[in-house]
Amino acid sequence: MENSNNIKGIGGERMEKRLQISILGLGVIGTGVVEIVAKEGQKIKDYAGVELVITKALIRSGEDKADFAKQHSLQLVYDIKDITEDASIDVMVEVMGKIHPAKEFVLAALT
């Protein structure tokens, strides 16, 4: 039985979509999300026809996440504008763990 979420193009061929994601925070939850997407990405793509690609991660100044970012091909940014003003980002995931500044960042993304 074929998944009804598959996207069909002209002639019935399956179309693939790429979803570019940014993540706010690379703590325990943020790194876990990145690792799960990396590990399960092919299953998601096979099932839904959507390739999930986390391209940017917002971190606090002074955090050392360079090795993790390199391992997962992430661009580390320190300013929310590097995400909110990037037209290539389709989805922003907030996993910062505190109300402030997470609330302000989400509101900035919605405006």
Side-chain angles (χ1 to χ4, degrees), residues 23-98:
I23 191 162
L24 307 186
L26 279 181
V28 172
I29 304 299
T31 56
V33 169
V34 172
E35 289 170 345
I36 288 170
V37 169
K39 181 180 176 188
E40 304 296 336
Q42 188 60 50
K43 287 181 187 176
I44 295 166
K45 184 178 177 181
D46 292 344
Y47 180 78
V50 177
E51 178 184 10
L52 303 181
V53 182
I54 302 176
T55 58
K56 289 186 178 181
L58 177 77
I59 63 170
R60 285 180 283 218
S61 176
E63 286 186 309
D64 184 17
K65 301 292 182 176
D67 289 341
F68 184 82
K70 185 176 180 180
Q71 178 184 0
H72 293 281
S73 301
L74 296 174
Q75 178 186 352
L76 296 177
V77 299
Y78 303 95
D79 187 337
I80 190 64
K81 289 182 181 180
D82 291 329
I83 291 172
T84 59
E85 295 178 2
D86 184 343
S88 72
I89 300 294
D90 299 305
V91 174
M92 183 182 84
V93 177
E94 183 277 307
V95 289
M96 297 181 79
K98 295 183 181 179

